[in-house]
Structure formats: structure tokens, C-alpha cells
Amino acid sequence: MRYLFLIVLIITKLNAQTELNFDKRFVESEDKWVAFEKDEDNSYPFGFIYIDSEAGLTLNYEGTFKISSNGEFIPTKLDSTSMKVRLEPNKVLVAFIPEKKFSELKINATPEWLKFYKTDENSIERLFKWGYMYNGWNECEKALTFLEKAEHINPKYKGLAVEIAFSYNCLKKYDKAEKILEEDIKLNSSDAYVSKEYIYTLTKNNKIDKAIQQYNSAKKLIKDKQYDAENCYNILQYFYIQKNKENFNKWHKELTTLKVQNKMIKDYAYRMKVEINK
């Protein structure tokens, strides 16, 4: 009987530990109660993840909890009002808190305050911001679900076309992206971001002559120079993939004349230069 008791106790403890599976990214956790990996005090920080239309994905931090030997979640809530933390893209994984544990943590499935963040959810402004945010997390398929709804409301909404094109590029649907950007660049010829996305699309669609033409046009007409180096990099990368040493070196030389703010661009370009000139 003693050994049977020990086996039962071990199984109980194992079950308590397996209540939480830390396999969800922040972007998968919208409107979910989540727990983070336990800290040095063997406590699990927890809270509710939701979308703030201005801040994006946000954690409403509630406090911590410990898991007792019999699997009970024992909370230590914040003394004052909850703390809100903006969530940035990273590799942190969280666990969804099982609904059967909500009563132990003294939480409701849907927090009362959440309703204040759910107003105007179907407005074009909200839909665009949601799509923009999910594109920023590389969740482009999900981004499109919001952006396409926005498109049905007003296809000419500022910034919408290029954001949809970004989603298509992310999903490697370059033909669809190019079709959208062909029209958008006519309407927004001085928009640096539209031009950048258009050049990227053309290089991926093997239309390098048009990409170079757009690059040269952008350098002359667009005052905002923040994407010049990225545009140049996308063209030289095309020639690297094509193993065209002469044109690669030409565009690498062009890159050295530009102000490169992104160190990764400079590093990758250098590595490609070393490789192609072996």
C-alpha cells in the first residue's frame, strides 16, 4: 500500500506539472489567459493577452501563482491595479491556462475591462491596424483576413494597398503583390515605402530591369532616403542569386555610396561579395 501511495503521489505531481504547455507564441494568444515559465521563486507569472488598437499586443499582468503538490493553482495577485506590458516579437513561449483553473486563480474567462477594447472592431481604422500589426509579427495570412475586410469598406484607404501587397510578398504571392503595387505606385509615386515594396516585388518576380528603373526614379524623386540601401540590397541580392558577378559588384559599389543604417544589410552584402568573388 505504501508503494501504491507513492506511485499515486508521483503521478499527481506529474499531472500538476503537465497542466501547462509552454508552446504558444504571443501572437497566437490573443484574448487568452496565459502563464509564463516559472521564476526563481517557483512562481508562474500570468495575465491576459489582448490587442490595444494603439499599442498592439498587450499583456494585462495579473500577478503570479504556484502549483501545489495536489495540482492546485494558488495565486498571488497584484495589490494595486493591474500592470499593462506591450509585447514585442520575440521567441518567448507561453502556456494557455486551462479554463478549469480559472476559479482557483479567481479570474473570469473574459475580463470585465476587455469590453472597452472591443469597440469599433469592424471600423476600417481598427481592421487596418490589426492587419498592420499581424504583418509586423509575420502572421501574414491572418493579417490578410483583416486587411481584406478593410478593402471591402474602402479600397482607397491610405496605406491599405501596400500593406496588402506586403502580406502577399510575405506569402510569396508575388504576382498578386505586383498587380496591386503597379496601381499604387501610380497614385503614390513619392511614397518611399510603396516604392520599396514595389522594388522588392519586382526583384522576386525576376523583373530586374523594371526594379532598376524604379530604383533610379525613386532616388531622383523621393526625398525620404531611408529605404535606398534596402532597395539597392534587394537588387544586388538578385544578381547574387543569378551568380552575375559583374552586375553584383556594380550594385555592391552603389551600396557603399549609400548611408546604411541597418548593419545586417552591410554584413550580408559583404558575405555575398566574398562568396561570389571566390
Side-chain angles (χ1 to χ4, degrees):
M1 287 298 293
R2 183 179 178 184
Y3 291 113
L4 179 61
F5 172 77
L6 287 173
I7 291 171
V8 171
L9 181 60
I10 291 170
I11 291 174
T12 300
K13 287 186 176 182
L14 286 174
N15 285 337
Q17 295 302 313
T18 57
E19 288 282 354
L20 300 172
N21 297 311
F22 295 92
D23 58 357
K24 298 293 188 296
R25 293 173 298 146
F26 292 154
V27 76
E28 299 175 281
S29 308
E30 180 186 347
D31 292 346
K32 298 288 187 181
W33 284 101
V34 301
F36 292 76
E37 294 273 9
K38 61 184 175 183
D39 57 25
E40 62 278 0
D41 189 38
N42 282 328
S43 296
Y44 295 86
F46 79 101
F48 189 87
I49 291 179
Y50 67 101
I51 293 180
D52 182 299
S53 61
E54 298 300 326
L57 275 178
T58 303
L59 171 72
N60 195 80
Y61 175 70
E62 296 278 339
T64 63
F65 65 86
K66 290 187 176 183
I67 302 179
S68 69
S69 59
N70 64 359
E72 183 183 359
F73 286 16
I74 304 172
T76 301
K77 305 288 282 289
L78 290 180
D79 293 333
S80 57
T81 57
S82 60
M83 182 190 306
K84 298 186 184 298
V85 181
R86 182 174 182 176
L87 301 175
E88 300 290 347
N90 56 45
K91 296 182 179 180
V92 173
L93 296 177
V94 295
F96 291 167
I97 297 174
E99 191 168 350
K100 63 183 179 181
K101 295 296 182 180
F102 289 177
S103 60
E104 294 174 5
L105 294 175
K106 300 178 176 60
I107 56 177
N108 297 319
T110 302
E112 180 64 23
W113 50 261
L114 186 62
K115 63 186 178 185
F116 299 110
Y117 294 91
K118 293 294 185 180
T119 59
D120 300 325
E121 282 193 296
N122 292 315
S123 70
I124 192 167
E125 293 82 8
R126 284 291 186 100
L127 292 169
F128 177 77
K129 286 179 179 177
W130 260 236
Y132 180 88
M133 184 202 70
Y134 277 110
N135 269 340
W137 287 73
N138 277 334
E139 291 288 330
C140 303
E141 194 78 57
K142 189 164 186 176
L144 270 178
T145 63
F146 296 102
L147 297 172
E148 288 173 345
K149 288 179 183 178
E151 187 180 28
H152 285 307
I153 299 172
N154 180 9
K156 295 182 179 180
Y157 185 78
K158 183 173 175 58
L160 179 59
V162 69
E163 203 59 38
I164 292 174
F166 181 97
S167 296
Y168 284 137
N169 278 331
C170 172
L171 297 168
K172 298 183 179 181
K173 298 179 180 180
Y174 303 121
D175 287 339
K176 289 188 174 183
E178 184 180 350
K179 184 177 180 181
I180 291 172
L181 291 167
E182 284 280 3
E183 296 303 315
D184 202 24
I185 199 68
K186 294 175 185 176
L187 300 173
N188 298 287
S189 59
S190 62
D191 190 308
Y193 181 60
V194 174
S195 178
K196 184 269 295 185
E197 203 63 28
Y198 187 41
I199 291 170
Y200 174 83
T201 305
L202 291 170
T203 61
K204 292 300 183 182
N205 254 352
N206 296 312
K207 296 182 179 178
I208 194 62
D209 290 340
K210 288 182 72 173
I212 292 172
Q213 182 181 356
Q214 179 59 35
Y215 174 86
N216 291 329
S217 176
K219 278 196 73 178
K220 291 178 182 178
L221 300 177
I222 299 176
K223 295 180 180 179
D224 184 351
K225 301 299 181 183
Q226 65 173 307
Y227 297 119
D228 281 2
E230 185 175 344
N231 293 337
C232 183
Y233 174 82
N234 285 327
I235 292 172
L236 72 84
Q237 184 183 51
Y238 169 85
F239 287 120
Y240 173 78
I241 293 170
Q242 297 298 317
K243 299 181 180 179
N244 187 325
K245 184 190 296 187
E246 181 181 353
N247 277 311
F248 175 88
N249 286 330
K250 173 185 173 181
W251 283 92
H252 189 275
K253 185 177 180 180
E254 167 75 6
L255 184 65
T256 63
T257 68
L258 303 173
K259 185 177 181 181
V260 183
Q261 296 178 338
N262 188 333
K263 186 176 181 295
M264 290 178 63
I265 287 178
K266 187 180 293 186
D267 291 346
Y268 287 155
Y270 174 76
R271 292 176 192 175
M272 287 190 288
K273 182 182 179 182
V274 171
E275 182 65 28
I276 202 170
N277 286 296
K278 280 183 178 178

